[in-house]
Amino acid sequence: MEVHVSRAVPGFRRPLTLLAGAALLAPLALTGVPRASAAEQYTVTALEFTVRAGDRSCTVDADLYRPAGVDARHPAPAVLATNGFGGSKSDGSTDVIGRSFAERGYVGLVYSGLGFGRSGCLITLDDPAIDGEAASGLVDFLAGTRAADDGTKADYVTSDAPGDPVVGMIGGSYGGAVQLATASADHRVDALVPLITWNDLAYSLAPNAAGATRGVSSETPGVFKWQWTDGFYLMGEGQPLLVPTLDPSRFGSLGCLHFAERACDTIRLLNSGRYPTAATREMLTYARSVSPASYLSGVTAPTLLVQGQADSLFNLNEATATYRALEARGTTTKMIWQSWGHSGGSVPGELDLGSGNLETSYVGQRILAWFDRYLHHDENTSTGPEFAYYRDWESGYGTAAAVPGMSRTMYLSGDGALVDSRSKVARGSRQYANRLLATSHSESSLAGLIGLSDPAPYDTEGTYLGWTGPPLTSPLDVVGAPRATLKVVSPKTERVQNSGDAADKLVLFAKVYDVAPDGTQKLVNRLVAPVRVPDVTRPFTVELPGVVHRYEAGHRLRFVVAGSDTAYFGNRGVKPVTVVSAPGDTGVLELPVVG
């Protein structure tokens, strides 16, 4: 799912306040009428398809980009793409994908996802059995085995075998997950490039950074990320206000016009603040069933994962979970962590989907090489290193043979220090208590998402605990997801945590600051780890969001545990928390350090 902060961020549409005007002013393409490009490099033909999607047929609105000179005797491989959440085939980045690849000799087919633009049916969150099946119908068109509704056929796409076109997929966020959904069931897809997308929507919308059993998934319900989730719900339900609807099947049950009913039920449950066991299990099951975490075992297409370091919606941990699952299955996969994501992070020279700077950006060059290798079948093309990450302190990308593991351990001392040896841990106990309203702020709020001023991260005295390390004697480069092991004491939580309602469990938020010599502190990419503690009588491990950051010499690390955060639902009632430290205790912070 993609939200768009500003036009300055590559791959994003305008702020939410401008979406309606932008959509209403967009010209409507004439179905079946080709338009030649200014340079006569390719033609663009607007098409409609009626495809099967689960238990119904859906209208799909698409644009076909055909390079000049491509015909049955001179076929070319194809690239299939669709929009991010709230977009359409005509939004900036999606349209540019079609044009950019047509200019490079690929047949492009760019379409509006189900429930968006002029495509019909309900929003089903990239369900492989619905959105994936619809995309597979478009692969049939590229194979030449079916025609568009007006009879147009594509008999000029390179094929691996009769009915099997050479086709790759690319797109961001919502347009990223649909690639994995499609490829899990349709093995005719030859290459994937999912950008800034999710692994498990249960983690994305209600993350729990503790108690994960596989990847980012946890059996303990997470903490509702209400700002992002409700923002997307409003975008989805606002579709009839933005564009004319062509398909009556878009209208679902009363009160949820654009989403499938189970998706709406999930949002209603999260917003209720209640997590009764049976309903929560159903919510987790549904959110996970439409997530790559549930079907990656079926993905065989070579996959280049691109994830954004500045992304509080789908953080780096999600791409890492997908990467590891594909790698374990034996699927060819590589991963890049770029600068920008849903939370901004645009940097000059980096990939800009809005301008199509593929040849001049590192990530763009990697994408072109990926398609050269797996669509043009050029075995001499190098697809680059296994893992690459953007560094803002040094020119170029850092590379590694794998995602770095933990290599530095620090200990939580009873006096609030972060020390490098267990023997330096001082005995002591400290306490904080949450309040009924949120008293900490980390991620960008809804104000920031619509272009208004957003306060810097803060924590209110008495509602958090912090541990601060000594000034660094040399730079410290952290690449990956820090990990903390904690043991807390909360008698009030202990009395109610087994009530059967997961909302009675303790909620806390973990994060790591970079503190400068003058005392100012920076929360790297404004990322926080929400935790619903499985059991306060036992130690638990928290995996923080992945970061790529240099802590300069003279700076200090500061690990913070807070009782609330403005972007999330918090505790039910006030739950005082005590952290007791002693040399033999388990309070540690582990860091993936490189160099």
Side-chain angles (χ1 to χ4, degrees), residues 194-498:
L195 295 94
I196 59 172
T197 198
W198 68 88
N199 171 266
D200 183 357
L201 273 180
Y203 171 84
S204 309
L205 305 182
N208 191 3
T213 55
R214 60 186 189 281
V216 294
S217 304
S218 172
E219 296 307 316
T220 300
V223 186
F224 180 36
K225 192 187 292 186
W226 73 269
Q227 288 192 355
W228 276 115
T229 305
D230 287 346
F232 282 119
Y233 173 76
L234 293 174
M235 288 172 67
E237 287 301 270
Q239 289 293 303
L241 303 177
L242 304 180
V243 291
T245 180
L246 302 180
D247 190 338
S249 68
R250 279 187 156 190
F251 291 92
S253 63
L254 184 65
C256 196
L257 300 178
H258 257 67
F259 289 86
E261 189 61 32
R262 291 185 72 192
C264 277
D265 288 345
T266 298
I267 295 171
R268 292 185 188 114
L269 174 65
L270 292 169
N271 268 309
S272 73
R274 291 187 56 81
Y275 302 92
T277 303
T280 304
R281 188 178 296 116
E282 174 69 12
M283 179 271 287
L284 291 172
T285 299
Y286 173 72
R288 213 159 275 159
S289 73
V290 295
S291 297
S294 292
Y295 55 72
L296 284 173
S297 60
V299 176
T300 60
T303 302
L304 177 62
L305 294 162
V306 181
Q307 203 77 351
Q309 294 172 19
D311 203 322
S312 59
L313 177 60
F314 306 135
N315 63 39
L316 297 176
N317 299 12
E318 301 228 39
T320 303
T322 298
Y323 169 80
R324 287 174 172 157
L326 290 174
E327 191 177 48
R329 189 202 179 287
T331 297
T332 299
T333 182
K334 294 184 177 183
M335 182 166 63
I336 303 171
W337 290 353
Q338 65 179 10
S339 63
W340 59 265
H342 290 86
S343 304
S346 173
V347 176
E350 287 296 284
L351 175 66
D352 182 347
L353 290 178
S355 66
N357 63 337
L358 295 169
E359 276 91 356
T360 60
S361 62
Y362 174 81
V363 175
Q365 292 169 3
R366 293 285 304 272
I367 292 170
L368 291 175
W370 198 257
F371 282 166
D372 279 349
R373 173 65 183 84
Y374 296 110
L375 300 186
H376 284 293
H377 303 303
D378 183 354
E379 296 186 2
N380 294 320
T381 297
S382 170
T383 57
E386 189 76 10
F387 171 60
Y389 53 93
Y390 176 77
R391 302 174 296 195
D392 62 3
W393 66 87
E394 185 175 348
S395 176
Y397 274 68
T399 63
V403 179
M406 301 300 164
S407 55
R408 180 74 61 91
T409 301
M410 305 185 79
Y411 300 87
L412 310 185
S413 180
D415 56 3
L418 197 57
V419 297
D420 60 5
S421 169
R422 195 179 292 277
S423 64
K424 297 179 181 178
V425 174
R427 292 183 179 275
S429 65
R430 296 187 298 152
Q431 185 180 82
Y432 75 85
N434 66 287
R435 297 177 186 170
L436 294 179
L437 297 178
T439 56
S440 289
H441 180 67
S442 300
E443 298 178 0
S444 296
S445 68
L446 286 177
L449 298 180
I450 61 176
L452 301 177
S453 61
D454 187 52
Y458 63 82
D459 298 292
T460 301
E461 195 67 34
T463 65
Y464 73 95
L465 292 178
W467 292 262
T468 306
L472 296 168
T473 57
S474 60
L476 185 74
D477 298 341
V478 175
V479 178
R483 186 170 60 205
T485 300
L486 301 169
K487 173 68 169 66
V488 300
V489 178
S490 181
K492 186 172 181 179
T493 302
E494 188 175 347
R495 289 194 295 270
V496 298
Q497 68 177 4
N498 297 318

Side-chain angles (χ1 to χ4, degrees), residues 66-122:
R66 180 176 177 176
V70 171
D71 55 30
R73 292 196 304 163
H74 307 91
V79 172
L80 180 65
T82 189
N83 52 273
F85 198 90
S88 74
K89 69 173 187 179
S90 301
D91 64 26
S93 58
T94 312
D95 176 60
V96 170
I97 287 173
R99 291 191 278 114
S100 296
F101 283 97
E103 290 169 357
R104 292 161 178 82
Y106 291 91
V107 175
L109 185 60
V110 175
Y111 69 100
S112 297
L114 299 184
F116 295 107
R118 296 169 66 93
S119 290
C121 287
L122 300 170

Side-chain angles (χ1 to χ4, degrees), residues 27-32 45-51 58-64 81-83 88-90 109-120 138 149 246 250:
L28 299 181
L30 299 176
T31 302
T45 306
L47 299 173
E48 286 185 358
F49 299 87
T50 302
V51 297
C58 300
T59 299
V60 173
D61 184 34
D63 282 340
L64 175 65
T82 189
N83 52 273
S88 74
K89 69 173 187 179
S90 301
L109 185 60
V110 175
Y111 69 100
S112 297
L114 299 184
F116 295 107
R118 296 169 66 93
S119 290
L138 302 182
D149 291 355
L246 302 180
R250 279 187 156 190

